[in-house]
Amino acid sequence: MILVADPMRLTADLLCRRLRADGFEALAFATAAGVLGRLGPGRVRAVIVDPALSAGIVAKIRATLPKTPILAFGTSDRPQDVASALAEGANAFLVKGRATPTQLVSRLNALLDGDPAKHEPGDAGGAMEGSYYIHVDARSADAPRLAIDVGAGAGFKCADCGGALALYLQRDIGRWGKWLFGTFGCLVCAKRRVPARHIASIGASLIEPLLEPVAVAAGGAR
Amino acid sequence: MKPHVLVLDDEPAVARAIKRVLTAAGFEVEAVNDASSARAKLRERVFAVVVSDERMPEISGVDFLAECAQEYPATIRLLLTGYADAQTAANAVNRAEIFRLLFKPWSEAEFIAAVREAAWRHSLMDEDEPTVEGPPRDIAEDVEPN
C-alpha cells in the first residue's frame, strides 16, 4: 500500500488514481492525523507526503516506519526546506510542477527497488554520481566535528548499521544551480543525515564551500 | 517541455513582473494585456495554468476564467486581485471554478507555490505531462570550482 498525503484532497486523490493505474494500491489523505493513523509496519510500502501537510510530518512518519521509503513532494525547492525534509528522514524530495507524474512513479519504483541514490529529472537536485573530495574549512568546521554531525562511527561508517556512507549533493535550483547542499546517507539502512550544525551556523546555501567537488584523481585520494 | 502558463493583466508592468517571476521559477510564460490576446494564445496551445487579474476594463477576471472553464476545463485557473469582496470570491469559486485566489501584493514564494501546485494538478489530469526541467544534464556543469 502506498500512502499519499497532501493538504489538497483532490490532488492526493488524483495521484492515487495515477498510482493505481500503474499497479499500486494507494490511499489518499489530506490530514496529518489521517495518514499517521494508517501507518503500520508490513502494510505500508511507501509514503508520498507533502511536507506542508503539517510541521514535522516526515519525522513523525519516519518514527513509526524506520525503513519504509518516504518520498517528500512539495512546492518549495528552497534548500532549507529540502534539507529539512531529508533530515527528518525523507529518502527523496521532488518538487511539484517540476516533476511529472511519470517521473514521480519512476522515483517511487527506484526507492521501492532499494536504490536510494537514483535520481530522476524533476528531483530537487540531479544526481552527481562519481567520487568527490570533501574539503572542510578549518575555520568553520573540521573533520571530527563533521563526523559527529552526520553520526558517523569509526571509519566514517553509519553509526547505526556500519554501512558505507554516501554523500548526496543536490543542486539549489533557486540559485541557478550554482550552489549545492549535501546530506550523508547510509547505503545499507538508507538513513539520511544533514550536517545540521553547519547549516545552522553558516546557512544552508553556504554549505557548498564545505563540499567542494573537484576532479577525481587516480586512486581516489588527493 | 516546461508547463505553459498564461498571464492576463491589463497593467503591462504587472504582467511583466509575473512573467519574470514565473520564468525564473522554470515555467514557460506568455503574458498578455487584454482578453482577446489571451483567447488567441489559448487557441494556439495547451496551457497548464491561466493567471488572470480580476479588475480589467473590458472583462472581469472572473468572467474570463469562467469562459476558460467552459472552453478549456483542464487548464487550471488562478485569479489575482487587489481586493475581493464576498460576491467576487463566490463568483470566482462558483462560476470560474478557480483553483486559487491570489491577492496583490503577492508573496513571491506563495505565488510560485500556487502555480506549481496548479501545474502539478494539471499534469495529473494531462497525459502530456510537461515539466519545467529540460533533458537531464550533469549537475557538475553548474559547479564553479573555487
Side-chain angles (χ1 to χ4, degrees), chain A residues 17-119:
Chain A
R17 192 175 71 180
R18 173 56 196 259
L19 291 170
R20 288 182 198 119
D22 281 295
F24 292 102
E25 278 187 276
L27 267 183
F29 300 92
T31 63
V35 68
L36 292 171
R38 285 302 292 258
L39 299 179
R43 292 187 301 131
V44 178
R45 294 181 64 203
V47 182
I48 301 172
V49 58
D50 184 338
L53 185 69
S54 164
I57 183 67
V58 175
K60 288 172 189 165
I61 294 169
R62 177 56 75 214
T64 306
L65 300 173
K67 293 185 178 174
T68 302
I70 299 175
L71 178 53
F73 192 52
T75 55
S76 172
D77 59 0
R78 294 188 311 165
Q80 55 267 46
D81 294 333
V82 178
S84 169
L86 295 175
E88 287 186 13
N91 298 89
F93 193 109
L94 294 177
V95 180
K96 289 178 180 175
R98 284 183 52 205
T100 65
T102 299
Q103 288 166 348
L104 183 140
V105 171
S106 170
R107 191 76 180 93
L108 177 65
N109 276 317
L111 289 170
L112 291 170
D113 290 342
D115 184 5
K118 185 179 177 187
H119 287 257

Side-chain angles (χ1 to χ4, degrees), chain A residues 6 8 10-11 14-15 18 50 73 75-77 95-104 121-122 126-128 169-171 177-178 180 208 212-213, chain B residues 3 24-25 27 99-100 109 112-114 116-117 119-121 123-125 127 129-134 136-146:
Chain A
D6 192 290
M8 301 198 72
L10 181 55
T11 299
L14 286 168
L15 181 52
R18 173 56 196 259
D50 184 338
F73 192 52
T75 55
S76 172
D77 59 0
V95 180
K96 289 178 180 175
R98 284 183 52 205
T100 65
T102 299
Q103 288 166 348
L104 183 140
M128 292 179 69
L169 296 177
Q170 290 188 296
R171 207 171 15 168
K178 298 294 184 190
L180 304 171
E208 186 265 347
E212 178 192 17
Chain B
F27 293 95
F99 180 72
R100 290 280 167 85
I112 291 169
R116 278 189 178 142
E117 190 82 51
W120 170 245
R121 172 75 65 87
S123 71
L124 283 169
M125 300 189 295
E127 292 302 313
E129 295 190 347
T131 170
V132 302
E133 285 289 283
R137 62 198 174 99
D138 189 345
I139 184 173
E141 291 170 6
D142 289 328
V143 177
E144 287 182 332
N146 290 334

Side-chain angles (χ1 to χ4, degrees), chain B residues 35-102:
Chain B
S36 56
S37 302
R39 290 186 192 104
K41 293 288 182 190
L42 284 164
R43 281 193 293 271
E44 285 173 13
R45 63 152 57 107
V46 173
F47 284 89
V49 182
V50 176
V51 182
S52 175
D53 185 29
E54 165 58 9
R55 291 194 179 184
M56 295 181 288
E58 55 180 28
I59 187 172
S60 74
V62 167
D63 286 342
F64 175 73
L65 292 179
E67 201 179 297
C68 288
Q70 289 291 320
E71 298 288 326
Y72 312 97
T75 297
I76 308 297
R77 299 164 297 280
L78 283 76
L79 184 66
L80 186 60
T81 182
Y83 170 78
D85 56 26
Q87 190 58 52
T88 302
N91 285 340
V93 172
N94 297 336
R95 291 183 47 229
E97 299 175 40
I98 63 158
F99 180 72
R100 290 280 167 85
L101 182 59
L102 302 168

